[in-house]
């Protein structure tokens, strides 16, 4: 963070498991337990066999199968087949009849405690109240139950096997029908004694194949066929998630979410972008209870103690009443004594730890010392803006909001900005095995291809994945990653932030912004050469009547950039914000004013004003750029001379440029547009005739205003065009010498270039070219006149008629200009022949 320019208060760094934060977590648990929000229950959880812990739904990833698919599972040498559904028959007790069911997880039939049918299904009316025989566990009596929720008569056979202890839908069915919940799986993924002697001790996916073989032996196997399905996996271990019954601690999230929704709708917090806001409402509106128990060795241990009374059966660990919760042992002991009623007892602290998001959700106020009412808490809570990734909007942000409102009564922040996820240039998620992971430090400092290869060995990738990753790195970074620097990386990431969910990061673009840094550096260094040792900066930006047109124009553009920048920052539109400051620096300050200032600083009459304008633009330009590029702007700003009585020691604490109505001058922008147009026309015309320097240029103006503007900006045009030897503004086209190529500028002005000295000019070709253009221009004039002569034209919109009239004036001016050009070349040809 320091290297990337994070200006944090590093003295306030906090560790989520230090004494203060641990106290907050304990208070959180105890407070929610005492209010009935936290409770103990034996429910289905997402179990990761590989990590041996519970996971929340938010911590899961998914694999979509459209049909048969082999997936590598941790702990298995060979891939396991998914994306198939197996049908088999259950024998009906007391008859030769069978009922066919289907499952994507055949091993779970060892935990079946019912077969459900629809109460209105005529095919199974005679089976109401009947039982089936379990083919592998003879002493298990399995009822046929009626359930119109879990069963769809039109799907499959209309009969559904029910495993309440290993499937979320079956769990609900089991609760409705008061079925037995039989857990057949150990925490390590092997089957326990409830699965029967034949399968006890088998690994779950080994048992899958064994069950199918057993069904075939008994003649109960029907078929296996492809089946589209979604496989939940652990985001960390990539293990297949197993639904298992576990006694855990749960948070009743619904009342917390309802309060969060009420406060969000009231405007207490805004979510940016709107797509994330919509998801926020949807997720909170459909929130489920939150399992906060985790079976890990690292974390905040649950402040709950199982009360075991001497001489009595071991208490039910799934019952909240069996537990004593307290903030410290003194409080726990006091409560235990009261609950035991004078009997001897022992206390066993829950070995589970709490979900990391349970403690992270306290961060906005625990870092300020909560639950103690510290001065920091009173001063800094709540905060204003939270910037985070959209992928943890529910993991973290929602929990901070719910817990903040519950525990403090205040929304922890006013605004949440969700940034996009960074992917590689091809849009792929960054993965070590693909070799497309981009380390920000490598972008800042640069890294050779060999160094990138070496980094692959720092992890735990198998050799074959390392080789695959090397190929990916060689394809994407054949010459390694160029050194781009922090400023370029920061600017690129902001420029990419257009409100989408993903950023496809291209190193070439970041490198382009490094060149932009170089441009700023070189331009500032060059400009400072124009500020001699005697130069004293103005105390403020002063607008006076003696400013030249280009000065008034650049001030207007500076103000436009500052206004747009502030607007975009307020709207959190960082892409347009970078565009505003980038355009000012590159296309207006560097390309125009710094060039135009060269002749201005050489004249005694305009030197001081031009220097002041140049200084103000550099100063304010660096300030505007500073949030995106802190390092280069600080370095360059420190090299600028200080304004009189300016106390700031760093650009970081200088005032940020804002809209200044004194600098608004639309007339200057309109007038300078003519200067721009003249410059571009001259360069284009010179290119046509392959003229690269020492060109004599004439601009013929019949308009007094245009003649005044262009006549006053001769030196500016020469500085911008960079190829003019002499430039003359004339009022009569007869003053233009023979042998000039021409181009129309406006309906009242035309540009002429003396091409007489160019030996490459083919006069016949130029005459033919002028005749062709003239014919086309005459045709356009004819079309426009016909359009204006159409019946009812006067009823056309005024804007259309005005546009056509202006187009006709320009085209007629072009006809006159081309006619003159043709005549000039014809005279030149005639003189050559003489």
């Amino acid at each position: 963070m320091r290297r990337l320019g994070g200006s944090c208060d590093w003295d306030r760094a906090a560790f989520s498991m230090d004494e203060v934060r641990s106290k907050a977590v304990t208070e959180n648990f105890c407070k929610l337990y005492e209010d009935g929000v936290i409770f103990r229950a034996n429910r289905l959880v997402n179990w990761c066999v590989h990590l041996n812990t519970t996971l929340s739904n938010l911590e899961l990833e998914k694999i979509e199968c459209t049909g048969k698919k082999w997936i590598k599972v941790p702990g298995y040498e060979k891939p396991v087949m998914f994306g198939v559904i197996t049908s088999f028959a259950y024998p009906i007790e007391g008859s030769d009849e069978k009922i066919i069911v289907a499952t994507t997880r055949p091993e779970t039939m060892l935990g079946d405690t019912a077969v459900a049918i629809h109460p209105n299904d005529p095919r199974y009316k005679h089976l109401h109240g009947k039982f089936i025989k379990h083919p592998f566990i003879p002493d298990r009596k399995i009822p046929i139950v009626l359930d119109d929720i879990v069963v769809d008569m039109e799907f499959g056979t209309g009969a559904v096997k029910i495993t309440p202890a290993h499937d979320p839908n079956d769990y609900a069915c089991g609760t409705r029908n008061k079925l037995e919940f039989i857990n057949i799986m150990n925490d390590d993924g092997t089957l326990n004694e409830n699965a029967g002697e034949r399968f006890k001790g088998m690994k779950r996916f080994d048992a899958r194949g064994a069950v199918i073989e057993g069904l075939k032996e008994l003649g109960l196997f029907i078929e296996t066929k492809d089946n589209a399905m979604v496989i939940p996996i652990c985001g960390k271990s990539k293990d297949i998630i197993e639904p298992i019954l576990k006694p855990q601690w749960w948070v009743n999230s619904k009342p917390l979410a309802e309060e969060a929704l009420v406060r969000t709708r009231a405007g207490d917090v805004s979510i940016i972008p709107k797509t994330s806001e919509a998801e926020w409402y949807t997720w909170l509106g459909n929130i489920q209870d939150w399992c906060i128990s985790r079976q890990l060795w690292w974390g905040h241990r649950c402040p709950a103690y199982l009360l075991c009374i001497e001489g009595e059966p071991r208490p039910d660990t799934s019952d909240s009443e069996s537990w004593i919760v307290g903030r410290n042992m003194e409080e726990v002991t006091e409560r235990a004594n009261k609950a035991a009623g004078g009997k001897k007892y022992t206390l066993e602290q829950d070995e589970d730890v709490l979900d990391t998001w349970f403690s992270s959700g306290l961060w906005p106020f625990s870092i300020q010392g909560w639950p103690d009412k510290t001065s920091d808490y009173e001063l800094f809570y709540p905060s204003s803006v939270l910037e985070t990734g959209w992928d943890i909007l529910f993991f973290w942000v929602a929990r901070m909001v719910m817990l903040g409102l519950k525990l403090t009564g205040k929304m922890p922040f006013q605004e949440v900005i969700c940034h996009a996820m960074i992917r590689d240039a091809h849009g792929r998620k960054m993965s070590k095995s693909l070799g497309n992971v981009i380390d920000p430090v490598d972008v800042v400092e640069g890294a050779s291809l060999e160094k990138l290869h070496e980094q692959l060995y720092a992890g735990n990738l198998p050799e074959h994945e390392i080789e695959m990753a090397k190929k990916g790195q060689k394809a994407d970074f054949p010459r390694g990653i160029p050194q781009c620097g922090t400023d370029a990386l920061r600017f690129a990431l902001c420029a990419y932030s257009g409100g989408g969910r993903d950023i496809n990061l291209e190193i070439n673009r970041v490198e382009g912004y490094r060149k932009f840094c170089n441009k700023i550096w070189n331009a500032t260094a060059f400009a400072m050469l124009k500020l001699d040792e005697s130069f004293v900066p103005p105390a403020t930006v002063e607008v006076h009547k003696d400013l030249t047109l280009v000065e008034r124009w650049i001030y207007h553009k500076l103000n436009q950039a500052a206004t747009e920048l502030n607007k975009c920052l307020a709207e959190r539109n960082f892409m347009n914000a970078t565009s505003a400051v980038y355009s000012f620096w590159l296309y207006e300050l560097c390309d125009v004013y710094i060039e135009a200032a060269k002749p201005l600083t050489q004249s005694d009459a305009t030197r001081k004003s031009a220097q002041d304008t140049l200084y103000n633009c550099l100063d304010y330009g660096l300030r505007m750029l500073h949030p995106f590029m802190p390092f280069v702007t600080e370095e360059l700003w420190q090299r600028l001379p200080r304004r009189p009585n300016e106390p700031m020691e760093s650009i970081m604490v200088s005032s940020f440029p804002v809209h200044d109505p004194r600098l608004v001058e639309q007339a200057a922008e309109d007038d300078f547009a003519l200067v721009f147009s003249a410059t571009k026309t001259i360069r284009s015309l010179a290119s046509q005739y392959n003229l690269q320097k020492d060109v004599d240029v004439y601009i013929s103006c019949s308009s007094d205003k245009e003649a005044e503007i262009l006549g006053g900006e001769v030196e500016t045009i020469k500085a911008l065009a960079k190829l003019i030897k002499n430039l003359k503004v004339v009022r009569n086209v007869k003053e233009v010498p023979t042998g000039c190529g021409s181009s129309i500028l406006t309906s009242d002005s035309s540009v002429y270039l003396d091409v007489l000295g160019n030996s490459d000019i083919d006069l016949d070709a130029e005459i033919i070219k002028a005749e062709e253009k003239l014919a086309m221009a005459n045709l356009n004039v004819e079309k426009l006149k016909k359009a204006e002569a159409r019946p009812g034209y006067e009823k056309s919109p005024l804007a259309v008629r005005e546009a056509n009239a202006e187009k006709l004036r320009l085209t007629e001016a072009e006809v006159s200009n081309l006619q003159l050009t043709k005549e000039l070349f014809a005279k030149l040809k005639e003189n050559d022949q003489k």
Side-chain angles (χ1 to χ4, degrees):
M1 286 298 295
R2 288 176 189 264
R3 296 173 75 177
L4 289 175
S7 53
C8 306
D9 186 348
W10 301 106
D11 292 337
R12 295 179 181 272
F15 174 43
S16 61
M17 289 185 66
D18 63 22
E19 184 177 348
V20 176
R21 261 50 64 179
S22 294
K23 179 182 179 181
V25 172
T26 300
E27 176 64 26
N28 181 25
F29 189 96
C30 293
K31 172 65 176 170
L32 296 185
Y33 178 80
E34 291 161 1
D35 290 352
V37 177
I38 284 181
F39 62 94
R40 185 81 171 177
N42 191 30
R43 293 184 176 181
L44 276 184
V45 298
N46 301 307
W47 186 255
C48 175
V49 169
H50 188 73
L51 297 180
N52 242 238
T53 188
T54 302
L55 300 173
S56 72
N57 289 336
L58 294 174
E59 296 172 284
L60 306 184
E61 295 179 358
K62 296 177 180 178
I63 298 177
E64 293 191 9
C65 302
T66 56
K68 185 184 298 182
K69 185 171 187 174
W70 295 91
I71 299 175
K72 187 167 179 56
V73 179
Y76 291 82
E77 292 184 5
K78 296 180 179 179
V80 179
M81 183 172 66
F82 293 88
V84 295
I85 189 166
T86 300
S87 299
F88 67 92
Y90 266 130
I92 306 297
E93 186 179 60
S95 77
D96 295 332
E97 192 175 357
K98 296 181 178 67
I99 189 167
I100 298 174
V101 295
T103 178
T104 58
R105 300 158 65 209
E107 70 280 6
T108 61
M109 64 89 65
L110 301 172
D112 283 357
T113 58
V115 168
I117 57 175
H118 197 283
N120 299 327
D121 195 331
R123 294 172 294 179
Y124 301 125
K125 287 281 188 182
H126 64 292
L127 296 181
H128 291 195
K130 300 289 186 180
F131 292 84
I132 62 174
K133 295 183 292 186
H134 199 291
F136 303 123
I137 308 171
D139 59 348
R140 187 182 299 172
K141 196 173 185 179
I142 301 179
I144 295 176
V145 299
L146 308 180
D147 195 303
D148 59 0
I149 297 176
V150 76
V151 179
D152 179 358
M153 286 190 296
E154 304 302 321
F155 183 77
T157 63
V160 179
K161 62 182 286 296
I162 304 297
T163 321
H166 292 282
D167 183 271
N169 294 323
D170 294 0
Y171 177 90
C173 177
T175 302
R176 287 193 300 272
N177 293 282
K178 297 181 173 56
L179 300 176
E180 185 179 5
F181 287 68
I182 299 176
N183 181 15
I184 63 168
M185 200 167 295
N186 297 313
D187 289 352
D188 63 359
T190 59
L191 302 192
N192 59 30
E193 63 276 3
N194 292 332
E197 283 297 321
R198 178 171 179 176
F199 305 100
K200 181 176 69 173
M202 283 189 181
K203 293 164 72 172
R204 51 183 171 154
F205 296 126
D206 292 340
R208 177 174 295 184
V211 166
I212 292 175
E213 287 303 314
L215 290 170
K216 289 179 178 179
E217 292 171 7
L218 297 172
L220 300 175
F221 175 80
I222 304 299
E223 65 174 351
T224 293
K225 60 182 181 181
D226 285 4
N227 179 69
M229 60 189 296
V230 176
I231 312 295
I233 65 170
C234 172
K236 295 179 180 178
S237 69
K238 307 307 177 185
D239 193 12
I240 306 298
I241 292 300
E242 202 65 50
I244 292 181
L245 273 180
K246 286 277 184 184
Q248 308 275 266
W249 293 106
W250 299 78
V251 173
N252 179 12
S253 300
K254 196 166 187 63
L256 305 182
E258 287 173 350
E259 177 64 15
L261 285 170
V262 168
R263 299 288 285 270
T264 305
R265 292 191 177 102
D268 289 2
V269 66
S270 61
I271 313 290
I272 301 171
K274 288 293 182 183
T275 51
S276 293
E277 182 183 54
E279 292 172 346
W280 174 264
Y281 284 115
T282 300
W283 188 80
L284 287 177
N286 297 285
I287 201 166
Q288 303 295 314
D289 289 342
W290 174 19
C291 177
I292 57 174
S293 296
R294 295 291 183 272
Q295 294 67 41
L296 301 171
W297 65 273
W298 179 262
H300 293 96
R301 197 168 174 185
C302 301
Y305 299 79
L306 186 67
L307 179 65
C308 302
I309 297 177
E310 193 174 300
E312 294 185 7
R314 186 172 178 79
D316 180 5
T317 61
S318 65
D319 185 357
S320 297
E321 297 299 319
S322 302
W323 295 84
I324 304 296
V325 172
R327 293 165 178 78
N328 49 54
M329 285 310 300
E330 182 180 352
E331 189 173 69
V332 169
T333 302
E334 180 183 341
R335 292 176 176 179
N337 288 338
K338 184 177 179 180
K343 299 176 184 178
K344 289 186 177 182
Y345 65 86
T346 58
L347 294 172
E348 297 176 8
Q349 187 174 1
D350 190 347
E351 293 184 352
D352 289 351
V353 297
L354 294 163
D355 180 10
T356 186
W357 302 107
F358 186 77
S359 56
S360 298
L362 309 176
W363 198 249
F365 43 97
S366 68
I367 57 174
Q368 311 300 350
W370 185 91
D372 297 333
K373 300 298 186 193
T374 65
S375 58
D376 278 359
Y377 176 80
E378 298 294 340
L379 185 61
F380 298 121
Y381 182 80
S383 61
S384 55
V385 179
L386 171 74
E387 201 282 339
T388 187
W390 61 261
D391 56 320
I392 55 173
L393 185 63
F394 312 121
F395 276 119
W396 189 33
V397 182
R399 271 70 180 270
M400 286 192 283
V401 167
M402 292 191 294
L403 293 175
L405 291 174
K406 174 66 179 175
L407 299 172
T408 72
K410 300 176 182 178
M411 186 66 74
F413 25 71
Q414 301 166 7
E415 184 180 357
V416 178
I417 304 172
C418 298
H419 64 241
M421 294 295 292
I422 299 178
R423 299 179 179 273
D424 71 6
H426 311 291
R428 301 174 302 178
K429 185 175 180 179
M430 291 191 185
S431 164
K432 290 182 179 179
S433 60
L434 290 176
N436 65 342
V437 175
I438 300 174
D439 187 332
V441 175
D442 287 339
V443 180
V444 171
E445 297 181 350
S448 64
L449 182 60
E450 291 72 21
K451 182 181 178 181
L452 295 176
H453 287 346
E454 289 172 7
Q455 291 172 354
L456 296 173
Y457 292 94
N460 56 359
L461 288 179
E463 188 61 36
H464 72 278
E465 289 193 8
I466 288 178
E467 292 305 315
M468 182 174 70
K470 284 182 177 180
K471 291 180 181 178
Q473 288 178 337
K474 188 173 182 179
D476 287 343
F477 315 115
R479 293 182 295 277
I481 296 176
Q483 182 182 27
C484 298
T486 295
D487 289 325
L489 178 58
R490 285 173 59 109
F491 197 88
L493 293 178
C494 290
Y496 268 117
S497 300
R501 293 174 72 89
D502 297 306
I503 289 174
N504 295 350
L505 184 63
E506 296 185 47
I507 296 300
N508 287 343
R509 184 169 176 183
V510 183
E511 188 179 15
Y513 290 126
R514 184 200 70 186
K515 295 174 182 176
F516 175 53
C517 290
N518 293 344
K519 179 82 171 178
I520 295 165
W521 182 278
N522 293 334
T524 304
F526 175 80
M528 287 177 65
L529 296 176
K530 301 297 179 181
L531 309 178
D532 50 42
E533 293 181 359
S534 63
F535 173 74
V536 178
T540 60
V541 176
E542 296 292 340
V543 180
H544 51 83
K545 61 181 180 61
D546 294 329
L547 290 175
T548 62
L549 174 60
V550 70
E551 289 177 279
R552 290 186 288 122
W553 174 81
I554 194 62
Y555 275 139
H556 180 73
K557 285 299 183 180
L558 172 65
N559 187 60
Q560 276 188 338
T563 303
E564 178 67 11
L565 176 59
N566 280 275
K567 173 177 174 289
C568 292
L569 291 177
E571 295 170 351
R572 310 306 187 227
N573 188 338
F574 303 112
M575 181 173 71
N576 286 358
T578 57
S579 179
V581 69
Y582 181 89
S583 296
F584 171 75
W585 265 97
L586 199 61
Y587 304 125
E588 290 156 1
L589 182 54
C590 292
D591 286 358
V592 180
Y593 185 72
I594 289 178
E595 294 298 327
K598 292 175 182 178
L600 294 178
T601 56
Q602 293 171 3
S603 167
D604 293 339
T606 56
R607 180 182 298 111
K608 183 62 171 84
S609 176
Q611 287 177 328
D612 288 350
T613 302
L614 181 58
Y615 177 87
N616 288 330
C617 288
L618 290 175
D619 180 19
Y620 280 54
L622 290 172
R623 296 188 199 199
M624 290 193 296
L625 192 57
H626 180 70
F628 311 103
M629 294 182 162
F631 295 108
V632 69
T633 52
E634 182 72 72
E635 177 66 28
L636 291 173
W637 194 79
Q638 292 295 343
R639 298 186 180 205
L640 289 178
R642 294 275 75 83
R643 297 180 188 272
N645 303 318
E646 187 172 54
M648 285 81 70
E649 296 181 359
S650 168
I651 190 174
M652 188 184 298
V653 293
S654 64
S655 59
F656 195 71
V658 295
H659 175 73
D660 185 346
R662 299 176 308 137
L663 303 183
V664 177
E665 193 165 351
Q666 186 60 46
E669 180 170 11
D670 296 340
D671 291 349
F672 203 73
L674 179 64
V675 177
F676 260 136
S677 183
T679 302
K680 293 177 181 177
T681 302
I682 291 168
R683 293 183 67 84
S684 175
L685 198 56
S687 176
Q688 290 180 32
Y689 292 103
N690 196 28
L691 301 174
Q692 298 178 0
K693 62 179 181 178
D694 296 336
V695 181
D696 289 331
V697 179
Y698 301 86
I699 302 179
S700 171
C701 300
S702 61
S703 160
D704 292 341
K705 181 180 179 181
E706 291 182 7
E708 181 181 359
I709 293 170
L710 294 171
E713 295 300 316
V714 167
E715 293 303 318
T716 299
I717 295 171
K718 290 172 68 175
L720 296 180
K722 298 180 180 179
L723 48 73
I724 301 174
K725 180 180 180 182
N726 298 301
L727 171 60
K728 186 176 182 180
V729 177
V730 300
R731 300 303 309 276
N732 191 325
V733 71
K734 293 180 179 179
E735 296 181 53
V736 176
T738 301
C740 287
S742 67
S743 180
I744 188 170
L745 183 57
T746 70
S747 58
D748 296 315
S749 300
S750 297
V751 172
Y752 297 86
L753 265 65
D754 187 350
V755 298
L756 187 59
N758 188 347
S759 58
D760 295 332
I761 294 294
D762 185 334
L763 295 176
D764 289 328
E766 293 300 326
I767 292 171
I768 292 172
K769 189 190 301 182
E771 288 175 343
E772 290 175 347
K773 289 182 178 180
L774 184 60
M776 183 61 69
N778 280 321
L779 184 61
N780 289 335
V781 168
E782 187 178 341
K783 286 180 181 179
L784 288 167
K785 287 183 176 180
K786 283 183 179 179
E788 289 181 339
R790 284 200 314 265
Y793 179 78
E794 66 278 359
K795 296 180 181 179
S796 299
L798 178 62
V800 172
R801 285 181 283 134
E802 288 180 346
N804 284 344
E806 177 61 22
K807 192 182 295 183
L808 179 60
R809 282 194 295 273
L810 282 172
T811 310
E812 287 177 335
E814 184 181 9
V815 168
S816 299
N817 181 66
L818 289 169
Q819 184 63 47
L820 179 60
T821 299
K822 175 186 172 184
E823 291 172 1
L824 288 173
F825 279 118
K827 286 181 180 179
L828 189 60
K829 179 181 177 182
E830 183 179 339
N831 291 335
D832 282 353
Q833 289 175 344
K834 290 179 180 179

